[in-house]
Every structure is written in structure tokens, then in C-alpha cells.
């Protein structure tokens, strides 16, 4: 399905209930598989969460995670530590290009039995679950936080827990802290000192206060509303729920990041109201090593505002659903930007005009579709393969239509 978007007057003051955080949901679904007494509320409606839940409850020998990178990493660790199981985890053609050796090597050092079925270092994997006897592992600190979180999440299953040391510079720290915080919420003791962390073995049972958890709504999904408000006229506002000011999600940095772009964030009763004020935005220079998932949204916002943009800390974007740096360069240049990229950065000068009626390729990447959609406030634009948004935000186009944008499905 392709979607044509055309500018219309934005409805002011609407309230949207955003689905639960995909990041929190997938972590808690895995912990629920270890501690069945856990009850979860506001579970993410995303494809990724559905894949995760299905895989954890399935009896099939072959598990296909499709494009769900988080599920691939988390399930690899889970089944490696599930005694007596034998599964093959596979995925889409793109998933088979996404490296997993770092995690596999770490699990093998703990005693796991894992074999590559096609290309060395990449999925699919044959995993024979067994009791993991190791209790210490070291990883480079600049690897994907999903590798680190996968190990931390299975740590309660290990007889002696896990001591994990990260070497060198750390990236995506908020996602690691999220994992540790969720473990604490269910009663598992954790310690984080410098680059070292420890997770204790699981308690025999959870106390009642640790059993029912409400998942916060997804801040990454909120980013598209930040972009809409940033590109809208002064005074426009929208309210989103359910959000906490002391969020575990790294992307809650949106509130601070978008303030210089004219968007105020007002917290009240587990809701946030985003309101546009008059603003003369300056060039945006940011290191997004802790919040790489909002890079595409920010780049498009800056382009739409006609301001220069220089983003660094983006080294993990090349191994996402697509090479997001190259994809951003391709599509922004079609719209009239002059984009330069390296292995970990993207930048462009201000553009005076935006080319209209451009068809944006989404590369099977949900964030490409949603990041470019807010430009329709300013110009007509076409989003190819628009159904890809179901990976993280199935109701995205319905909400876009409700906010007043002209959404034409074809």
C-alpha cells in the first residue's frame, strides 16, 4: 500500500493514546516467560511485540522473527538458556544480513550451544538449550545495546547470576539502564558501577508488589508528533498518553531536544502536551549515540524547518532494518537536500525549498515511513509501502488522518 499525503489544516488540541513501548514490552515479555506470575498492562500493539509473544509461547522448532531485530537478539539468549529446547531462529533476508556473532560468542562463553545455519556470524541459528554454567562475560561497550540487554535479561536464570563488564566507550546507555530498572521492578537485584554490572539469580518467587506492571507508552512513537508540532504554526498543540517525566526510555530526551525547535513539553497526569511556540530555530548539532532511533525523525524535522543539521553517534544505524544512513541520504536528496554521511554521522546545510510530490522509498523500515510523513504539513508527499509502520505503530496512519492530514490510500 502506498499513501499520498497532502497538506491540510491541523486540528488543534487532540488527545492520542499511544501504544505501549516496544522496548519495555519485549523485555518484560521475556521476563514474564521466566517469571510466569508477572502480569502486564498496556502491552505494545506492534508487530515486533506480537512476534516476541508468539515465539515465547510457541512449540514450533522453527521460529521466524521476520524483521524483528530485538526479538532475534533476545530470543537467541532466551532459548540458549532454556534447558531441553532445540530451535532454529530465522528471519527476513535483511535479518540474515544483520550481525549476531558478538552475542553468540558471549553466550558460548557462558556454555551455550549455538550453530550458524548459513553464513558464519549471521542468522539463522540452531540453538540447543542447556543449563549455562558461566557467570562472567565481557563485551565492547560500543556494541548494540540489544546484545547487552539480551544477556542481562537471562541473567536471573543463571545459577550464579551474571557479571557483565563493558570495555571502552559505552553507547545506548539508556537502553541498558532500562533493562536493569525493569529487572529491579520485578524484584531481581542488580548493580551498576562504572562499566561493570551484576545481576543476581532469580528469587524463588516474586512478592505481590512486583507482579503487575504497566508499560509506559512508546516515546519513539511520540517523536513523530514532536516533528508534526515543530513543523506546524505557533500555538498548535497535541496531547499524548501515557507518559512519565521520569521515564526509563532514552527517547524521552525528545522533550529537551525539541525545545530549541519550538516545541514545549507539558507534563500532567501521565500525559504530555506538545505545544508550538514562536521560535527562530538554530542549526541542530547533536550526538545521538544514546538515542539513535530518533535520528531519522530529527533529520527530517530539520530539513522541513530549513535549518542545518549535523548528527553524530549513528554507527548502529547501518545494521538496522536497512542502512538508515544511506536511506536517509537517498530520500532527503530527492527532496532537495545536500546530504553527507560517514559511518556514524549525517549532515546537511539549510535548504530553501522542498521538492513536492516525491515518492519516498521506505526500505522495509517502519521509521523511514513515519519520519518522512510529517513533511506533509508543508508539501504533498508519497510514502511507498506505507503498511510497514505496523512493525511498531499499527495505528499510525489512522492517527495521522485524525490529526487533520489528508491521507489517500492506494
Amino acid at each position: 500500500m502506498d499513501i499520498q499525503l497532502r497538506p491540510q489544516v491541523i486540528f488543534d488540541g487532540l488527545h492520542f493514546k499511544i501504544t505501549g513501548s516496544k522496548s519495555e514490552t519485549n523485555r518484560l515479555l521475556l521476563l514474564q516467560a521466566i517469571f510466569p506470575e508477572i502480569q502486564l498492562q498496556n502491552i505494545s500493539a506492534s508487530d515486533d511485540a506480537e512476534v516476541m509473544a508468539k515465539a515465547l509461547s510457541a512449540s514450533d522448532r522453527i521460529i521466524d522473527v521476520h524483521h524483528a531485530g530485538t526479538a532475534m537478539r533476545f530470543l537467541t539468549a532466551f532459548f540458549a538458556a532454556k534447558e531441553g529446547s532445540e530451535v532454529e531462529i530465522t528471519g527476513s533476508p535483511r535479518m540474515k544480513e544483520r550481525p549476531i556473532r558478538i552475542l553468540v560468542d558471549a553466550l558460548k562463553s557462558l556454555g551455550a550451544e549455538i550453530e550458524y545455519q548459513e553464513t558464519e556470524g549471521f542468522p539463522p541459528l540452531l540453538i540447543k538449550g542447556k543449563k549455562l554454567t558461566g557467570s562472567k562475560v565481557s563485551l565492547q561497550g560500543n556494541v548494540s545495546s540489544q546484545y547487552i540487554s539480551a544477556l542481562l535479561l537471562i541473567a536471573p536464570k543463571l545459577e550464579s547470576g551474571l557479571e557483565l563488564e563493558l570495555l571502552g566507550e559505552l553507547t545506548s546507555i539508556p537502553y541498558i539502564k532500562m533493562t536493569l530498572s525493569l529487572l529491579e521492578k520485578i524484584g531481581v537485584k542488580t548493580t551498576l558501577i562504572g562499566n561493570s554490572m551484576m545481576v543476581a539469580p532469580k528469587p524463588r518467587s516474586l512478592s505481590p508488589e512486583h507482579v503487575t506492571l504497566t508499560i509506559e507508552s512508546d516515546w519513539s512513537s511520540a517523536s513523530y508528533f514532536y516533528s508534526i508540532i515543530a513543523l506546524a504554526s505557533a500555538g498548535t498543540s497535541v496531547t499524548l498518553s501515557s507518559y512519565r517525566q521520569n521515564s526509563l526510555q532514552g527517547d524521552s530526551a525528545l522533550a529537551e531536544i525539541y525545545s530549541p525547535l519550538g516545541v514545549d513539553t507539558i507534563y500532567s497526569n501521565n500525559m504530555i502536551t506538545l505545544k508550538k511556540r514562536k521560535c527562530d530555530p538554530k542549526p541542530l548539532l547533536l550526538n545521538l549515540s544514546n538515542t539513535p532511533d530518533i535520528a531519522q525523525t530529527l533529520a527530517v524535522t530539520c530539513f522541513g524547518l530549513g535549518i542545518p543539521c549535523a548528527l553524530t553517534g549513528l554507527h548502529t544505524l547501518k545494521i538496522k532494518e536497512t542502512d538508515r544512513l544511506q536511506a536517509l541520504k537517498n530520500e532527503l536528496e530527492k527532496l532537495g537536500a545536500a546530504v553527507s554521511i560517514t559511518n556514524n554521522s549525517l549532515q546537511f546545510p539549510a535548504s530553501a525549498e522542498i521538492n513536492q510530490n516525491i515518492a519516498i522509498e521506505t526500505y522495509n523500515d517502519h521509521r523511514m515511513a513515519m519520519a518522512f510523513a510529517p513533511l506533509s504539513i508543508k508539501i504533498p508527499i508519497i510514502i511507498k509501502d506505507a503498511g510497514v509502520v505496523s512493525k511498531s505503530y499499527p495505528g499510525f496512519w489512522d492517527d495521522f488522518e485524525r490529526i487533520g492530514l489528508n491521507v489517500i490510500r492506494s
Side-chain angles (χ1 to χ4, degrees), residues 65-360:
V65 301
H66 306 292
H67 311 297
T70 306
M72 172 60 74
R73 279 72 178 265
F74 289 3
L75 292 171
T76 295
F78 175 79
F79 283 109
K82 185 177 181 182
E83 295 179 57
S85 66
E86 182 173 330
V87 299
E88 180 181 325
I89 305 182
T90 187
S92 65
R94 172 61 180 170
M95 185 60 66
K96 294 180 181 181
E97 298 173 351
R98 298 178 69 177
I100 200 166
R101 182 190 295 277
I102 291 169
L103 176 59
V104 170
D105 286 351
L107 288 166
K108 284 183 174 180
S109 75
L110 296 173
E113 188 174 342
I114 304 173
E115 298 175 9
Y116 299 110
Q117 296 300 94
E118 293 180 13
T119 305
E120 190 82 5
F122 298 85
L125 305 173
L126 177 63
I127 304 172
K128 296 180 181 179
K130 57 191 293 190
K131 182 178 181 178
L132 304 184
T133 56
S135 61
K136 294 183 179 181
V137 69
S138 297
L139 291 177
Q140 290 297 317
N142 63 353
V143 301
S144 169
S145 64
Q146 291 177 6
Y147 300 147
I148 299 165
S149 288
L151 294 166
L152 295 174
L153 288 167
I154 65 162
K157 285 180 66 74
L158 307 184
E159 190 172 2
S160 301
L162 181 67
E163 182 179 340
L164 176 58
E165 183 181 10
L166 301 178
L167 309 173
E169 182 184 0
L170 305 187
T171 59
S172 298
I173 298 171
Y175 288 102
I176 298 169
K177 288 185 175 179
M178 174 194 289
T179 303
L180 293 171
S181 295
L182 292 175
L183 286 164
E184 288 279 349
K185 280 181 180 289
I186 64 166
V188 174
K189 294 185 181 301
T190 73
T191 305
L192 173 62
I193 302 175
N195 285 19
S196 296
M197 54 201 75
M198 297 182 68
V199 179
K202 76 172 186 176
R204 291 182 180 177
S205 62
L206 301 184
S207 55
E209 68 267 24
H210 295 133
V211 169
T212 300
L213 299 175
T214 299
I215 297 165
E216 184 186 22
S217 292
D218 187 51
W219 275 94
S220 301
S221 296
S223 72
Y224 312 113
F225 289 91
Y226 273 92
S227 187
I228 289 167
I229 297 301
L231 296 172
S233 57
T236 306
S237 68
V238 65
T239 298
L240 311 176
S241 61
S242 301
Y243 289 97
R244 300 188 291 266
Q245 193 161 2
N246 60 341
S247 174
L248 299 179
Q249 299 175 56
D251 288 349
S252 61
L254 284 161
E256 180 180 352
I257 290 171
Y258 268 85
S259 180
L261 302 181
V263 182
D264 290 329
T265 304
I266 304 158
Y267 293 88
S268 177
N269 299 321
N270 287 325
M271 296 184 291
I272 53 173
T273 297
L274 315 182
K275 187 167 185 177
K276 179 65 180 289
R277 58 179 149 74
K278 289 184 178 179
C279 176
D280 182 18
K282 302 297 189 291
L284 190 70
L285 312 173
L286 283 177
N287 183 320
L288 296 180
S289 58
N290 287 333
T291 53
D293 281 346
I294 61 174
Q296 291 145 292
T297 312
L298 275 169
V300 174
T301 303
C302 290
F303 175 69
L305 289 172
I307 61 173
C309 178
L311 305 177
T312 59
L314 307 181
H315 58 280
T316 60
L317 294 194
K318 297 184 74 65
I319 59 169
K320 295 288 188 176
E321 284 80 347
T322 185
D323 179 342
R324 287 178 172 170
L325 286 170
Q326 187 62 53
L328 273 171
K329 177 177 171 63
N330 294 348
E331 303 312 306
L332 284 169
E333 287 187 339
K334 284 158 60 173
L335 288 161
V339 182
S340 300
I341 60 172
T342 68
N343 282 332
N344 75 338
S345 68
L346 175 146
Q347 63 179 353
F348 53 80
S351 297
E353 296 183 5
I354 307 174
N355 297 331
Q356 300 188 19
N357 294 306
I358 298 298
I360 300 298

Side-chain angles (χ1 to χ4, degrees), residues 325-399:
L325 286 170
Q326 187 62 53
L328 273 171
K329 177 177 171 63
N330 294 348
E331 303 312 306
L332 284 169
E333 287 187 339
K334 284 158 60 173
L335 288 161
V339 182
S340 300
I341 60 172
T342 68
N343 282 332
N344 75 338
S345 68
L346 175 146
Q347 63 179 353
F348 53 80
S351 297
E353 296 183 5
I354 307 174
N355 297 331
Q356 300 188 19
N357 294 306
I358 298 298
I360 300 298
E361 298 291 342
T362 52
Y363 305 87
N364 223 352
D365 183 352
H366 56 134
R367 299 206 188 282
M368 287 295 291
M370 294 184 286
F372 279 86
L375 280 181
S376 61
I377 289 176
K378 293 184 168 288
I379 48 97
I381 194 171
I382 300 162
I383 306 294
K384 306 283 286 183
D385 190 23
V388 74
V389 300
S390 66
K391 178 176 171 62
S392 63
Y393 192 165
F396 180 78
W397 298 117
D398 292 336
D399 285 350

